[in-house]
Amino acid sequence: DQNGDQNGDQNGDQNGAPNTPNTPNMICPDASPPADAEDTWSTVKKPLKNTEASQPASNQLPTTAAAPPPPPAARPLPAEDNLAPTPPEISASHNEDDDEFEHPDAALFKLAGDSSSEAAALLTDSKSRGGDTENLLATLVERSDADGIERLLANIRGVPGRAALRKNAKKALKRLKEEAAAAAASLAEGLRRFAAFFRAPLFRPEAVRREIEAVHSEHENARANDAWRDLQTFRGGVDPGHPYAKFGCGNRDTLLPEGDDGTKAAENLRRFFEARYRPTSMSACVVGRAPLAELRKMAAASYGRLPKGPATASPVRPPSETGEDPFHPLFRRWNYARGTRPPALSPARLGRLREVRPVREIRRIELAFHVPPRSDPRMRAARPAVLLAHILGHEGEGSLYLHLNERGYVTDLSAGSGTDAPDFGTFTITLTLTEKGMEERDEVLDVVFQYINLLRRTARLETGEDVLAAYFDEIGALSEINYRFAEKTDPVSLAISAAESIFSHTPTHLLARSSLPVPYDHAATLAFLDLLVPAGAVLTVTDAGLDAGLDAGLSNPVATSTATVSAADAPWHVEPWYGAAYRECPLSPARIQRWENPGPPPPDLTLPARNPFVPQDLSLRPPADTEGAPVPVLLADEPHLRVWHRLSKFRVPRASLGVHLLTPGVYASPRSMTLCRLFEMLLAEEANVRLYDASLAGYVTQVSVRTHGLELYVGGWSDRTPALLDRLCRRIGALADDLADAEEGSDLATKFATHVQTLTRRSRNFSLDEPRELADYHSRLLLERDAWHVDRYLNELEDGGLSANECGRALRTLLRGRLRAEVLVVGNADAAEARDAADAVR
């Protein structure tokens, strides 16, 4: 799988990093789409978080893990089981005079990466600043912008006193052209070799056997990974006659016939290749700096020679073409093949409760609602899942997350599209629970359905369409701004995303895809909302507390929970491929009725307010002496504070503000480090609520505990970054005081206790990391001096009697003790804004 950006946006780097120079030209050879072509679209939601343990640095507490290997994508269905949409027509003409490939959407290609518009802007900017052409030449060389250098040479031709500059520009232009020619030759050879696989693959038995062993090894390593186990357990609940129910990874038993040395497997692989790897089911994208006409010739010389092979079977036609009544009047691709195979999730397979025993210490609830696939035309055009994910996954004031978090029930909540197959999909709401939340899961689920009902009732009010349209337009505006100022993607990501998008987007939207706004579709939103009902969902409870009695032959453990949402009376089963233990039962009619008519929500639950952080001022700051400087300029040098500033030469309205608070007290002892990490977690939780709208608008705020002090970072659109840093600094001091004065049993003390549980769980799970990760951690621990082992932190968490008051006093002492600050302001921020940042730190 190519695990790229699943949201489909070409979102820029919000940290104000410089642009990648000279995005190449791109040409996509015309091809018919594969039957399982999927849409890639932007999603405005809180991304799913991995709350498992990770390997901590030897001088820190364990942190949240890097995401585990992603679950396998849905297996492409056989060709005869898929619906092949009509491929977009791509017409082009070749102008022999200027040797450029003229695309019908030339303006869009220029927006995405043609350097000529940038060169013109730089030349204009240079003239307005009094002809700083030396600096302009350096910028063009750094960007590898040959077109810009040619324009510069044309501007200074015959100008007295510019002979040396012309000489340097000609040398630079010659070098860039030589490099481009060498790169083009390498690209052509690379294409020839890559296309050879699709034309005449070898499939040597020994190589096939070696690859099967590698696949088997990966599968064995994944057997203890909860993400893979959960995915296959969900597949087991799908109708066995549907292709999605199959084992999607493969191992030695499924891929290698018994007693085979690789010969039979190679024959099987070749037959599969000859049946599936056809140009009629292929897309290709070539990215390079050569002119588009030349890239087209390269593509034709490599991929144009692929054998057509046997004709593929006709794909299953949707009801809209056969005249058959569709499964749903609006979403006509949903279960389109039900005449030839059973639907993946029939009514009998929905409205069910499944309990799973995890490997790690995890407590999670997931509601997976059966919905149309994202490739459905109405789904693709209306994007209802994007809108509902934004509202249900919101974490600001009045949100479902905040209501449950303040009661100590959840530590995380996310919503959005889950499984996406050609003929069905799921919309998931995932909650990561505390021990208290798992005990009170009846109340948690009641509140979830109360909030869904609140959203549904609001949508059906007379003003409902205007309310939801305002959210939708806001999401579209942010997506459009992100695309307008997107950082240029690397060639590999660009090629992958463009090749995947050929089947689902017209040429005019091939690069923008779903970043550009579309009209709001209230009928589609209402229809999608009506699908979020308990009878149309699979409820999965993953609970580390389900292990009592399981190891003694999978007998039913003694029920210790008072929760009534339970499958305690159902027998235990073992999923055959990964060994996950689970039990399941249908939701009772009374439970379904209760959640379908949940009553009024708690008074603090409301729909989100409008986002006040949508950027308004996207203007660029006037040029200054610090623009393009090789190093930042020192603006202030005081005994306890230094301020550095540089106005970025990359003319985008973003800024980055970094603050390093140096203090020796953080890593003075395992207890001090533990208290600082807990403070960091509390602050991050508060910022997530107070500044959640800012994060949706593209701002990043972060506080990190290091062995040498605290690091603060604020980045994003330049119009609000200084103000956000001021809010962050003020809250750090106020939170330390609030913790020091917190009464036992208060909301703040309860949150502190919840984070102690979370950090304890992560520290315990650390020992379950992969052996190579543990070996790396301990080898670094041996090489570092005065480094605390994770067990020392775990001792403090389990037996240290940590309290919110002690945490507040410790941080107050650190912040008012030996403290020195380094402040760095880079990007679209002038010297006055840099001094404002320094004032916030003071």
Side-chain angles (χ1 to χ4, degrees):
D1 292 340
Q2 300 290 355
N3 297 308
D5 177 12
Q6 298 303 319
N7 295 338
D9 288 338
Q10 296 182 3
N11 291 332
D13 180 9
Q14 302 300 333
N15 300 339
N19 289 329
T20 304
N22 196 19
T23 295
N25 289 323
M26 175 181 72
I27 178 170
C28 305
D30 198 0
S32 298
D36 61 334
E38 298 180 3
D39 188 17
T40 53
W41 56 338
S42 59
T43 305
V44 182
K45 66 173 184 177
K46 184 174 184 293
L48 298 179
K49 290 183 180 178
N50 172 33
T51 55
E52 315 304 331
S54 68
Q55 172 203 336
S58 57
N59 55 10
Q60 298 181 26
L61 281 172
T63 58
T64 303
R75 275 284 185 205
L77 303 184
E80 64 270 20
D81 290 337
N82 284 271
L83 170 66
T86 304
E89 290 293 328
I90 300 181
S91 61
S93 61
H94 181 222
N95 188 331
E96 297 292 349
D97 294 334
D98 56 14
D99 196 34
E100 287 187 356
F101 184 79
E102 294 182 357
H103 194 281
D105 187 35
L108 183 61
F109 279 95
K110 287 182 180 293
L111 173 63
D114 193 322
S115 61
S116 59
S117 59
E118 289 192 29
L122 285 169
L123 287 168
T124 302
D125 186 50
S126 175
K127 292 176 183 178
S128 67
R129 295 169 56 187
D132 185 9
T133 45
E134 288 83 358
N135 186 54
L136 173 60
L137 176 60
T139 300
L140 294 172
V141 171
E142 184 176 349
R143 296 189 181 188
S144 302
D145 191 346
D147 291 340
I149 295 175
E150 288 183 339
R151 286 172 175 266
L152 175 63
L153 281 169
N155 272 22
I156 63 175
R157 185 174 294 121
V159 177
R162 293 299 187 184
L165 181 64
R166 283 194 295 271
K167 182 178 180 181
N168 289 336
K170 289 177 180 178
K171 286 182 178 180
L173 183 60
K174 180 181 178 181
R175 178 173 60 82
L176 288 178
K177 288 185 175 180
E178 290 173 350
E179 290 177 354
S186 300
L187 177 61
E189 175 63 14
L191 284 175
R192 185 187 69 80
R193 297 188 184 195
F194 187 52
F197 170 78
F198 301 97
R199 185 172 63 253
L202 297 178
F203 291 134
R204 294 191 179 98
E206 63 273 16
V208 172
R209 176 66 185 263
R210 187 167 57 248
E211 184 61 27
I212 289 175
E213 292 298 332
V215 170
H216 182 78
S217 177
E218 291 176 0
H219 168 66
E220 288 298 304
N221 287 335
R223 282 177 57 84
N225 186 296
D226 285 306
W228 287 90
R229 292 160 69 93
D230 291 347
L231 175 68
Q232 195 60 39
T233 303
F234 178 80
R235 284 176 179 263
V238 169
D239 192 292
H242 193 280
Y244 191 76
K246 296 179 180 179
F247 174 42
C249 177
N251 61 12
R252 189 189 295 130
D253 296 334
T254 62
L255 299 173
L256 191 66
E258 186 175 356
D260 182 27
D261 63 352
T263 303
K264 292 182 180 178
E267 293 174 358
N268 294 338
L269 193 59
R270 182 175 293 280
R271 283 196 296 269
F272 182 86
F273 172 85
E274 291 173 350
R276 306 298 185 194
Y277 283 68
R278 302 292 90 194
T280 52
S281 299
M282 183 183 294
S283 69
C285 177
V286 180
V287 177
R289 289 179 178 168
L292 288 169
E294 189 174 333
L295 292 179
R296 183 183 180 90
K297 294 175 184 176
M298 290 184 194
S302 52
Y303 293 99
R305 298 163 56 192
L306 301 185
K308 291 185 177 181
T312 57
S314 300
V316 175
R317 298 172 63 196
S320 58
E321 297 180 8
T322 63
E324 179 187 2
D325 289 336
F327 181 76
H328 192 281
L330 285 184
F331 308 117
R332 303 175 72 86
R333 187 180 169 90
W334 196 7
N335 289 338
Y336 66 85
R338 67 188 185 281
T340 59
R341 63 170 183 240
L345 293 170
S346 62
R349 296 181 177 275
L350 296 167
R352 298 187 67 82
L353 165 64
R354 182 179 297 129
E355 292 183 330
V356 180
R357 178 195 184 191
V359 175
R360 293 178 178 268
E361 189 174 345
I362 299 172
R363 294 174 183 85
R364 183 173 59 226
I365 288 178
E366 180 179 276
L367 278 162
F369 298 95
H370 186 213
V371 299
R374 292 190 298 181
S375 56
D376 181 89
R378 193 69 175 262
M379 286 282 290
R380 183 180 297 159
R383 310 174 193 172
V386 176
L387 173 60
L388 300 188
H390 168 74
I391 297 174
L392 294 172
H394 205 276
E395 298 188 5
E397 296 294 335
S399 66
L400 176 62
Y401 165 80
L402 187 59
H403 173 87
L404 296 172
N405 177 263
E406 288 183 338
R407 284 152 183 77
Y409 293 163
V410 304
T411 59
D412 192 35
L413 185 151
S414 49
S417 296
T419 299
D420 188 40
D423 60 345
F424 83 100
T426 62
F427 181 87
T428 63
I429 301 175
T430 305
L431 305 99
T432 303
L433 279 72
T434 62
E435 293 182 25
K436 179 181 178 182
M438 186 57 73
E439 287 292 323
E440 302 295 337
R441 58 181 176 270
D442 290 4
E443 180 183 346
V444 170
L445 287 163
D446 284 348
V447 174
V448 169
F449 281 103
Q450 285 170 355
Y451 195 75
I452 294 174
N453 192 50
L454 169 66
L455 176 56
R456 186 181 291 114
R457 286 191 292 105
T458 302
R460 295 193 178 280
L461 293 175
E462 184 177 348
T463 59
E465 181 171 359
D466 293 336
V467 171
L468 296 187
Y471 292 128
F472 193 80
D473 292 343
E474 186 176 272
I475 295 169
L478 288 171
S479 183
E480 186 175 23
I481 290 173
N482 286 331
Y483 179 69
R484 176 184 172 192
F485 295 102
E487 300 292 328
K488 297 176 183 178
T489 57
D490 66 277
V492 173
S493 299
L494 178 60
I496 292 171
S497 62
E500 291 175 345
S501 301
I502 290 175
F503 303 133
S504 54
H505 293 83
T506 61
T508 53
H509 288 79
L510 190 59
L511 298 181
R513 289 174 288 173
S514 300
S515 297
L516 303 182
V518 295
Y520 172 64
D521 186 341
H522 194 55
T525 301
L526 291 177
F528 194 89
L529 254 176
D530 287 341
L531 302 176
L532 306 188
V533 293
V538 175
L539 169 60
T540 302
V541 177
T542 304
D543 183 10
L546 292 171
D547 59 355
L550 281 177
D551 293 325
L554 287 179
S555 60
N556 283 336
V558 177
T560 58
S561 174
T562 59
T564 59
V565 180
S566 173
D569 295 332
W572 284 95
H573 305 279
V574 177
E575 193 281 317
W577 298 109
Y578 291 88
Y582 71 96
R583 61 189 181 187
E584 64 177 288
C585 65
L587 292 170
S588 67
R591 177 66 59 183
I592 291 177
Q593 177 68 23
R594 176 188 177 97
W595 287 342
E596 286 181 346
N597 301 281
D604 60 328
L605 280 180
T606 61
L607 297 188
R610 297 298 300 274
N611 193 336
F613 290 95
V614 176
Q616 304 297 326
D617 180 12
L618 297 173
S619 62
L620 300 177
R621 303 297 182 262
D625 294 338
T626 60
E627 181 178 0
V631 295
V633 174
L634 184 62
L635 287 185
D637 189 0
E638 302 171 7
H640 300 288
L641 174 70
R642 291 199 300 179
V643 183
W644 304 84
H645 171 248
R646 184 176 72 170
L647 183 66
S648 175
K649 62 185 176 183
F650 301 103
R651 309 298 281 163
V652 291
R654 294 192 179 95
S656 295
L657 283 61
V659 180
H660 193 174
L661 300 175
L662 297 164
T663 174
V666 171
Y667 203 62
S669 67
R671 193 175 189 86
S672 175
M673 188 67 177
T674 303
L675 290 169
C676 289
R677 283 299 309 280
L678 290 167
F679 181 83
E680 174 191 356
M681 295 168 71
L682 278 165
L683 186 65
E685 182 184 39
E686 281 211 357
N688 192 52
V689 174
R690 296 169 182 263
L691 301 178
Y692 183 76
D693 285 329
S695 68
L696 291 181
Y699 295 94
V700 178
T701 58
Q702 185 175 356
V703 177
S704 304
V705 174
R706 306 298 184 199
T707 58
H708 39 64
L710 302 176
E711 290 182 357
L712 283 61
Y713 174 80
V714 175
W717 307 111
S718 49
D719 64 336
R720 300 296 295 274
T721 44
L724 283 174
L725 179 63
D726 182 72
R727 291 180 63 172
L728 183 62
C729 289
R730 292 179 185 277
R731 188 54 196 156
I732 289 174
L735 180 59
D737 291 336
D738 292 345
L739 284 168
D741 301 331
E743 297 181 0
E744 186 175 354
S746 64
D747 289 344
L748 192 55
T750 301
K751 288 183 179 181
F752 180 84
T754 299
H755 286 298
V756 170
Q757 290 182 18
T758 301
L759 195 54
T760 302
R761 183 176 66 251
R762 292 178 186 173
S763 301
R764 289 172 182 164
N765 284 341
F766 167 67
S767 62
L768 300 175
D769 274 2
E770 294 183 8
R772 61 183 179 84
E773 300 288 350
L774 295 173
D776 180 66
Y777 170 75
H778 286 95
S779 64
R780 287 187 288 111
L781 194 73
L782 291 171
L783 294 174
E784 295 182 13
R785 185 177 181 179
D786 298 329
W788 309 117
H789 190 274
V790 62
D791 289 346
R792 300 287 299 274
Y793 302 131
L794 192 56
N795 290 338
E796 298 291 345
L797 289 163
E798 292 180 332
D799 307 320
L802 300 174
S803 68
N805 298 137
E806 182 185 3
C807 180
R809 289 193 298 267
L811 264 294
R812 196 156 56 184
T813 300
L814 288 176
L815 294 173
R816 296 174 183 177
R818 295 170 53 194
L819 195 66
R820 184 164 59 87
E822 297 277 350
V823 180
L824 172 64
V825 180
V826 177
N828 188 47
D830 55 30
E833 290 168 314
R835 293 188 177 92
D836 289 342
D839 289 340
V841 176
R842 288 190 186 94

